[in-house]
Amino acid sequence: MSLPGSDQVTDSDLTHLNKSGAAAMVDVSAKQATHRLARAGALLQTTPHVIRLIEQALLKKGDVLATARIAGIMAAKKTSELIPLCHSLMLSKVSVDFQLLPELGQIQIETCCVLSGQTGVEMEALTAASVAALTIYDMCKAADKAMTISNIRLLEKTGGKSGHYCYPPKGDL
């Protein structure tokens, strides 16, 4: 096993491979159900003009943030259909929030997924952030084709054997 923060990955770190090296779904049936939470983020870079259009609901496709919020929630619920080997989970909560930074032309997206279960919800939170960002892009592309989506990342996770993680990890600053 590699040390946390190390760049070296060993076979024992790759939980979705069986002993033969083939892709396999992890068996979580023997694990205790615990309260688990994951927060993820993404950054959409556009122009101050597009942020004003969103704030004033002037885009032809409708309420951008409400649509992106619903898309993110739906995506979290469908993660196991999108990401091979993910378990389907009974999510207790999914939230998708936005912070508009008009002067920078940015939208910060933060998602949170919660459940009581045998496996984590990191992929659901990351999928929600990604799809919310893609939805904003889709709804605003007529106004700015040069938008970028970046910094999709896990912000925090709690629960399970590996415990609490918070971005950035200590020593990465």
Side-chain angles (χ1 to χ4, degrees):
M1 168 136 348
S2 65
L3 297 173
S6 132
D7 290 334
Q8 189 174 21
V9 177
T10 67
D11 288 346
S12 64
D13 293 327
L14 303 174
T15 59
H16 287 80
L17 298 178
N18 66 18
K19 291 177 182 170
S20 303
M25 189 173 197
V26 175
D27 181 0
V28 297
S29 61
K31 293 172 95 179
Q32 279 290 5
T34 62
H35 180 268
R36 296 166 184 264
L37 173 145
R39 291 184 316 107
L43 178 69
L44 186 130
Q45 181 69 55
T46 185
T47 65
H49 173 70
V50 170
I51 301 295
R52 284 192 297 280
L53 293 174
I54 292 170
E55 288 176 319
Q56 297 169 13
L58 296 175
L59 289 154
K60 291 181 182 179
K61 289 192 175 185
D63 186 336
V64 172
L65 299 182
T67 304
R69 180 173 286 115
I70 296 298
I73 292 167
M74 290 173 63
K77 292 165 56 174
K78 294 207 171 270
T79 299
S80 67
E81 296 174 33
L82 300 169
I83 309 292
L85 309 179
C86 277
H87 296 85
S88 58
L89 303 178
M90 292 294 298
L91 297 169
S92 302
K93 174 186 177 182
V94 178
S95 64
V96 180
D97 296 304
F98 307 99
Q99 181 178 6
L100 301 178
L101 302 170
E103 65 284 354
L104 299 174
Q106 294 179 346
I107 302 173
Q108 292 180 347
I109 301 163
E110 185 173 312
T111 63
C112 180
C113 294
V114 179
L115 63 67
S116 178
Q118 296 166 298
T119 190
V121 290
E122 296 92 334
M123 293 310 302
E124 287 71 15
L126 288 161
T127 301
S130 301
V131 171
L134 288 167
T135 301
I136 294 169
Y137 186 100
D138 178 54
M139 295 185 75
C140 299
K141 67 184 180 245
D144 179 11
K145 290 179 181 36
M147 286 178 286
T148 61
I149 297 168
S150 63
N151 294 339
I152 298 169
R153 66 204 175 281
L154 182 66
L155 298 172
E156 181 181 21
K157 73 150 267 342
T158 64
K161 182 172 66 173
S162 64
H164 187 240
Y165 165 85
C166 200
Y167 179 87
K170 291 182 191 247
D172 283 3
L173 290 175

